Amino acid sequence: MKIYALKTPIIGELSNIAFDKSISHRSAIFSLLSDKVSVIKNYLFADDTNATLEIIKLLGAKIEISKNLVKITPPKEIKEPNQILDCKNSGTAMRILMGLLASKNGFFILNGDKYLNQRPMKRVTKPLCEIGASIDGRDNGDKAPLCIRGNKLKYFEYESKIASAQVKSSLILAALNSNGCKFKEPELSRDHSEKMLISMGADIKRDGLSIDVNPLKNALKPLNIEVPNDPSSAFYFAVAASIIPDSHIVLKNVLLNKTRIEAYKVLEKMGANIEFIQTQNDYEKIGDIKVKFAKLKAIEVKENISWLIDEIPALAIAFACANGKSIIKNAKELRVKECDRIAVMVSGLRACGLEVSEFEDGFSVVSKGELKPAIIDSFGDHRIAMSFAILGLKSGMIIEDDECINASFPNFKEILKSLGVSVEN
């Protein structure tokens, strides 16, 4: 993908942003806990979330699709599939499904693409195996493909060393389908799972950073939800409006959960002109986000990292256009995402003429004036590809291996073009 520098401001309203990836994955998986039909409006049809639909279909669910409406009829019992369950590039799908399948009768194999199969899974397999799960895989169960022999698990108490919504969600599902648990995390991670499961009737109680999960006595109520636009996907255009002079953009119908808009708060602290307008508050706060161009100043970010881990590559683009030295710390988790995002962002930013220092848990960025166009290898990471596409609006850019964008945001290029950006495939 080749991006040409933009000569005009970005102005307009965006309502066709990708629907929320996290909620789409969960809505498909959680539908298996009901005995009635779940209805999901605005399900995200992207490579990763499509893979989750295909997996639950192989587990016995019946799926009807009409435009952005998905109806899921769960099986009476999850069936043992006669083929491998392919999670594509989705760590969310693999890790959450592990907790569900480890607590169900049957034999299951979870696999992914070459990037997902290099990501660490022991953060989930280890606590599950400690309570009676049977899971094996490469590197002593740390790497996929993963083989799971499901069974009833013991009650457990687990204090996670990392704030991870994927770990939390996996263990909650394992506990619901077995004998319950008490789970504690070091700081609040994304809380969609708890909110959605409680709305379905699950007996889950939160006390600060601790969660008590009681086992299911009956099937849960079905989901009937409308998935909002994804704040992580919308954020690329928030950054674009903040760095292109005279830009003004409105991001419509975006999820405003506090654990999902931290990157916008950081951008606001950098001087960006941002306004949040809440329009709904059913199971989640939803609304519009207005962003206007402003001269950005440097910032140091070291708190609430789990709330903005997916947006750090795009934030780095804002750092590249800010006045001064910006620093990100406590973000070692970036090393084990779809790629080593610290190393890849540092290499790419240096290629664009920026002064960048790399740390074990982050990096610093100093703008040296005019940005240089560069050729960026995305390493199959959709967030790397889209972030450097946004920087390309300032300098021009060539992104290699850009097909990965389809993992979460299939119409990303289409939106760029609608805003006047010249894009070549």
Side-chain angles (χ1 to χ4, degrees):
M1 173 174 61
K2 187 173 184 178
I3 303 286
Y4 290 88
L6 197 59
K7 305 297 184 183
T8 57
I10 292 175
I11 297 173
E13 290 189 354
L14 294 182
S15 58
N16 59 337
I17 302 159
F19 300 124
D20 193 81
K21 186 166 172 260
S22 295
I23 292 177
S24 293
H25 277 304
R26 285 164 172 79
S27 64
I29 296 169
F30 295 171
S31 70
L32 299 177
L33 301 178
S34 180
D35 58 358
K36 296 182 175 62
V37 178
S38 287
V39 179
I40 303 131
K41 185 179 180 182
N42 293 345
Y43 187 90
L44 171 65
F45 293 114
D47 287 352
D48 283 0
T49 44
N50 289 344
T52 297
L53 284 181
E54 185 60 29
I55 287 171
I56 68 165
K57 187 177 178 181
L58 290 171
L59 295 173
K62 179 184 175 183
I63 299 172
E64 300 173 69
I65 298 174
S66 175
K67 294 185 179 179
N68 284 321
L69 189 71
V70 177
K71 292 183 179 180
I72 302 174
T73 304
K76 289 184 180 179
E77 290 185 1
I78 286 178
K79 73 175 187 179
E80 187 176 76
N82 64 359
Q83 57 187 286
I84 291 170
L85 304 176
D86 186 0
C87 300
K88 302 294 186 185
N89 189 243
S90 178
T92 298
M94 183 170 283
R95 290 181 177 131
I96 293 180
L97 281 164
M98 259 193 275
L100 175 69
L101 299 177
S103 58
K104 294 290 184 180
N105 287 329
F107 177 72
F108 313 92
I109 299 176
L110 293 172
N111 193 31
D113 65 14
K114 64 181 181 179
Y115 300 108
L116 178 57
N117 285 1
Q118 286 302 114
R119 296 179 65 182
M121 295 295 152
K122 195 165 279 188
R123 58 186 57 187
V124 177
T125 62
K126 185 174 185 291
L128 285 174
C129 288
E130 287 174 352
I131 57 171
S134 177
I135 305 175
D136 199 6
R138 294 185 307 115
D139 196 12
N140 292 318
D142 193 35
K143 304 282 176 63
L146 296 164
C147 300
I148 301 170
R149 174 68 70 181
N151 54 60
K152 195 81 169 177
L153 306 177
K154 297 180 292 187
Y155 171 84
F156 63 96
E157 296 186 1
Y158 185 73
E159 185 168 342
S160 179
K161 294 179 180 179
I162 57 173
S164 167
Q166 295 173 0
V167 173
K168 174 172 63 176
S169 301
S170 185
L171 294 179
I172 286 175
L173 287 186
L176 282 173
N177 287 291
S178 296
N179 288 294
C181 79
K182 180 184 285 289
F183 177 89
K184 187 174 183 181
E185 52 188 347
E187 63 182 56
L188 179 64
S189 62
R190 291 182 182 183
D191 56 0
H192 305 310
S193 291
E194 307 95 288
K195 287 185 174 182
M196 292 174 70
L197 289 167
I198 289 169
S199 75
M200 295 173 73
D203 188 357
I204 299 173
K205 295 180 178 61
R206 173 178 281 280
D207 181 12
L209 296 176
S210 294
I211 302 172
D212 283 300
V213 181
N214 287 309
L216 294 179
K217 295 180 180 178
N218 301 293
L220 295 180
K221 294 182 291 185
L223 286 163
N224 189 348
I225 65 171
E226 182 174 343
V227 181
N229 287 335
D230 193 315
S232 300
S233 295
F235 189 65
Y236 299 105
F237 299 101
V239 172
S242 297
I243 64 175
I244 303 297
D246 302 320
S247 292
H248 176 204
I249 204 164
V250 182
L251 306 166
K252 302 288 289 183
N253 198 41
V254 177
L255 177 65
L256 299 180
N257 180 302
K258 71 176 184 178
T259 67
R260 298 294 303 282
I261 58 170
E262 183 71 7
Y264 294 86
K265 298 294 186 179
V266 172
L267 198 58
E268 199 172 31
K269 290 175 183 176
M270 295 177 71
N273 189 332
I274 299 178
E275 182 183 359
F276 301 92
I277 304 166
Q278 184 177 315
T279 56
Q280 299 178 51
N281 188 12
D282 295 329
Y283 68 97
E284 290 279 12
K285 292 180 180 178
I286 298 169
D288 301 337
I289 304 175
K290 293 183 177 180
V291 186
K292 293 181 180 179
F293 169 76
K295 291 184 178 180
L296 302 179
K297 60 179 183 293
I299 192 170
E300 181 173 334
V301 181
K302 58 183 180 181
E303 297 178 345
N304 293 332
I305 297 298
S306 66
W307 292 8
L308 49 77
I309 198 76
D310 284 339
E311 293 81 13
I312 288 174
L315 264 178
I317 303 309
F319 295 170
C321 300
N323 180 28
K325 181 179 182 178
S326 292
I327 302 172
I328 189 91
K329 291 183 176 180
N330 299 326
K332 192 175 180 180
E333 186 70 8
L334 286 171
R335 298 252 184 219
V336 292
K337 300 298 281 185
E338 281 80 342
C339 68
D340 181 341
R341 286 181 177 163
I342 292 176
V344 173
M345 286 303 302
V346 165
S347 175
L349 292 170
R350 283 175 178 160
C352 295
L354 293 149
E355 181 184 320
V356 187
S357 296
E358 180 176 347
F359 321 129
E360 184 182 6
D361 65 345
F363 52 87
S364 65
V365 183
V366 181
S367 175
K368 296 169 71 176
E370 192 163 337
L371 292 160
K372 299 190 301 185
I375 298 175
I376 303 296
D377 186 345
S378 73
F379 288 87
D381 190 320
H382 54 126
R383 301 201 188 279
I384 297 292
M386 289 186 281
S387 296
F388 278 102
I390 296 303
L391 189 57
L393 304 184
K394 296 283 285 184
S395 62
M397 202 74 64
I398 294 175
I399 316 294
E400 296 181 331
D401 196 4
D402 67 304
E403 287 299 312
C404 58
I405 291 171
N406 292 326
S408 64
F409 204 161
N411 64 326
F412 175 75
K413 296 178 194 176
E414 178 185 317
I415 292 178
L416 283 177
K417 291 175 183 177
S418 75
L419 295 171
V421 180
S422 182
V423 181
E424 289 182 9
N425 291 326

